[in-house]
Amino acid sequence: MKTIEIIGYRRANLGKTGSQTLRDDGNVPCVLYGGDNQIHFYSPMILFREIVYTNEAHFVHLNIEGEEFQAILQEVQFHPVSEVILHADFLRISEDRKIKMNIPARLVGQAPGVSKGGTLVQKRSSLKVLGFPKDMPDHIDVDVAELDFHHAIKVSDIKYQGLEFMDPKQASVAVVEVPRAAKLAAEEAAAATPAEGAAPAAGDAKKAEPAKKEEGKK
């Protein structure tokens, strides 16, 4: 997995006013967890582009005024309107300790259901996994080459060496949805076709009675 370097500076003021001042200056207030003590620091917002606005997972090499740490970005808070990064939490990691990460999922292959007119829908953009740092991938490929109508790829269908998937086993990752027009056509066809062995409609029965009487006269 690729590692991104983030340069940080320790914070002197931890209040709301100090945090807002940092944001106004183009910085992100941050906290590093996982050690003996939490480290409060800030970092230029521009450095977050490669780890936040991406479709791959990354490790983070933190350099906080000369102190270096290996970490992962655990949580990011965004402004609800402007989507400016308000705060970031990092978790310190070590090679001998398992970690939980959200790894982006990529759909690969051509689903048969799509060639029949269906729409491939990705239900989960990422998968939560547990494993050692050395086993963490940039992304997880999900093969949809056998995905047809009325079928789904579930979390339990995905295997990756060294990783344990933490999402619900029966949760869908990808499905092929039947187009609405095709659904309506199928429903209309089913309604128009009488079930096997079903009694004739009342109108049809009445039409058949005169024919039987004529046969009796003969």
Side-chain angles (χ1 to χ4, degrees), residues 37-123:
N37 298 300
Q38 299 177 8
I39 299 178
H40 295 264
F41 67 101
Y42 66 92
S43 180
M45 192 175 299
I46 193 171
L47 298 181
F48 283 77
R49 288 181 179 178
E50 290 188 76
I51 58 173
V52 175
Y53 307 104
T54 177
N55 60 353
E56 292 190 337
H58 296 91
F59 291 133
V60 178
H61 179 81
L62 285 176
N63 185 333
I64 305 174
E65 297 185 2
E67 288 189 78
E68 299 183 358
F69 309 91
Q70 290 299 114
I72 56 174
L73 181 61
Q74 192 170 44
E75 185 178 358
V76 181
Q77 297 176 13
F78 296 92
H79 189 281
V81 178
S82 65
E83 294 190 356
V84 169
I85 300 175
L86 299 178
H87 190 273
D89 289 339
F90 291 88
L91 177 65
R92 190 174 179 178
I93 63 174
S94 61
E95 289 298 325
D96 60 350
R97 186 174 60 187
K98 288 186 175 182
I99 57 174
K100 292 180 182 179
M101 288 190 72
N102 288 317
I103 305 297
R106 289 186 182 179
L107 306 185
V108 297
Q110 179 64 37
V114 173
S115 62
K116 297 176 183 177
T119 301
L120 181 61
V121 178
Q122 186 167 354
K123 295 291 187 178

Side-chain angles (χ1 to χ4, degrees), residues 121-154:
V121 178
Q122 186 167 354
K123 295 291 187 178
R124 265 177 156 72
S125 60
S126 64
L127 297 166
K128 183 178 289 186
V129 300
L130 174 68
F132 290 106
K134 67 180 181 63
D135 295 322
M136 290 293 173
D138 299 325
H139 61 271
I140 295 174
D141 288 335
V142 179
D143 189 359
V144 299
E146 297 183 4
L147 193 58
D148 209 337
F149 290 146
H150 310 300
H151 291 84
I153 295 177
K154 301 183 181 299

